[in-house]
Amino acid sequence: MRVMKLPKFDLPVLKGLVVIAVVVSLSACSIFRSKHDSLDTMPVDALYNKAHVSLEKSDYAAAGKAYERLIARFPSGEYNEQAQLELAYAQYKANRPDDGLSTVNRFIKTYPTNKHVDYAYYLRGLINFDRTSGAIERLLKRSDQQSRRDQAYNLQAFDDFSELARRFPDSAYTADARQRMIYLRNVLAQYEINVAEFYLRNKAYVASADRAQYVIEHYQQAPQTGDALAILSRSYLSMDQKDQAEQVRKVLALNYPDHPYLDDPKWPHPPSTLRKMVPFSGHH
């Protein structure tokens, strides 16, 4: 059998290759070890800075991992408090709303006097606010689609922002929270109008009247109040309660003199079959 000979190196060259191999091997081990062990060995200030830099670079997964390690290794102190708040934000931006809510609620409960607790209330509202719409609605910026979804997150977001405004009326975040509350109020009101119209079309007049009355009582400043009055008037007429219908109609004329129902007693009209076939029209 023929034996294959290995290439022959001069001794100085062979020594050099051995040294290079050892150096490369040690460097690789050092790199892998530093990646694996850095979060477990870094001092608290360096670990926080690492997490914060990742957050600023929008690397929310890396930021979250570093914040979680900091919180586990240093369970108290100023860095821990700030890390919890920033972790909640990283989880929110990473589309982990359940984790974000859990973190921010724990922060509010544990540190109710923290100087940034107003931001925690605001962030809680933001998390629920962004859960009220799906990817298509956000892409198309269709707020009317939100008024056809389940309203649990809208209601919770409204309550979150309301609590912020009540507890911290002078907070830097309160003005934005109030604007979001107005938006949510209108979405909630439109949801009730959609349901009322559905009942009206299906001749469930007591139910349509109840929904319209709810809008009038709870969302008085919403632009949908005029629609609610019109639906209530139509519902009363359909139930042969002409006096009540006329009284509501007068209120509508006084407050919304340009409302289409005043000239068109069959308002609101059901959507056409063609419109129902249009994607994202909101009538499916």
Side-chain angles (χ1 to χ4, degrees):
M1 179 182 293
R2 186 180 178 184
V3 179
M4 182 179 293
K5 293 183 178 180
L6 294 174
K8 184 178 180 180
F9 294 100
D10 292 334
L11 187 57
V13 176
L14 184 60
K15 286 183 178 179
L17 289 175
V18 171
V19 171
I20 292 172
V22 171
V23 170
V24 171
S25 176
L26 291 175
S27 299
C29 291
S30 176
I31 290 171
F32 288 124
R33 183 165 57 251
S34 64
K35 285 184 178 180
H36 180 72
D37 295 339
S38 61
L39 298 183
D40 292 325
T41 58
M42 294 174 70
V44 63
D45 55 342
L47 183 51
Y48 171 78
N49 288 335
K50 179 179 177 62
H52 192 72
V53 168
S54 295
L55 189 70
E56 290 183 329
K57 291 181 177 179
S58 301
D59 189 350
Y60 302 117
K65 183 177 180 181
Y67 284 129
E68 288 170 349
R69 197 74 199 102
L70 186 154
I71 292 166
R73 288 183 56 208
F74 306 97
S76 62
E78 185 176 352
Y79 280 106
N80 179 286
E81 294 184 30
Q82 188 63 24
Q84 287 196 40
L85 196 56
E86 294 183 22
L87 171 61
Y89 178 77
Q91 291 168 331
Y92 157 61
K93 296 297 288 183
N95 197 27
R96 297 166 54 192
D98 290 334
D99 292 334
L101 280 176
S102 177
T103 301
V104 79
N105 284 332
R106 182 168 59 251
F107 179 89
I108 291 171
K109 183 178 180 180
T110 308
Y111 307 109
T113 59
N114 183 281
K115 62 182 179 181
H116 300 304
V117 73
D118 59 331
Y119 175 75
Y121 281 99
Y122 176 68
L123 180 58
R124 184 168 67 179
L126 281 183
I127 293 171
N128 282 312
F129 183 85
D130 279 1
R131 295 176 82 171
T132 61
S133 61
I136 296 297
E137 289 89 315
R138 287 195 295 269
L139 179 64
L140 299 180
K141 299 181 180 180
R142 288 289 303 271
S143 62
D144 59 321
Q145 292 293 322
Q146 285 202 39
S147 66
R148 297 178 186 276
R149 285 177 168 265
D150 179 79
Q151 299 301 298
Y153 291 133
N154 275 332
L155 288 166
Q156 186 58 59
F158 187 92
D159 289 344
D160 292 335
F161 290 133
S162 178
E163 187 170 8
L164 167 66
R166 179 175 59 83
R167 287 176 177 266
F168 306 98
D170 299 322
S171 168
Y173 308 104
T174 298
D176 182 74
R178 286 181 173 140
Q179 289 300 312
R180 292 175 186 271
M181 287 173 66
I182 293 172
Y183 170 82
L184 288 168
R185 178 203 65 193
N186 295 345
V187 169
L188 291 165
Q190 187 59 53
Y191 174 81
E192 297 295 334
I193 291 298
N194 292 342
V195 176
E197 288 184 9
F198 172 81
Y199 285 137
L200 190 65
R201 288 195 299 270
N202 288 275
K203 301 181 180 181
Y205 302 121
V206 173
S208 63
D210 286 344
R211 290 285 183 160
Q213 188 68 43
Y214 184 87
V215 173
I216 295 166
E217 292 177 357
H218 291 86
Y219 306 115
Q220 293 182 4
Q221 296 180 329
Q224 291 81 2
T225 303
D227 293 347
L229 288 166
I231 292 172
L232 183 59
S233 179
R234 272 201 62 182
S235 299
Y236 280 145
L237 278 175
S238 299
M239 291 186 289
D240 201 29
Q241 298 180 17
K242 296 180 180 179
D243 290 342
Q244 292 93 323
E246 183 59 27
Q247 289 176 4
V248 173
R249 191 178 187 282
K250 287 179 180 179
V251 173
L252 175 65
L254 180 63
N255 292 277
Y256 301 91
D258 297 324
H259 196 279
Y261 174 70
L262 297 173
D263 297 320
D264 181 4
K266 292 185 179 180
W267 184 95
H269 297 280
S272 66
T273 303
L274 179 61
R275 188 175 181 187
K276 288 181 181 180
M277 296 172 62
V278 176
F280 313 122
S281 68
H283 293 284
H284 295 276

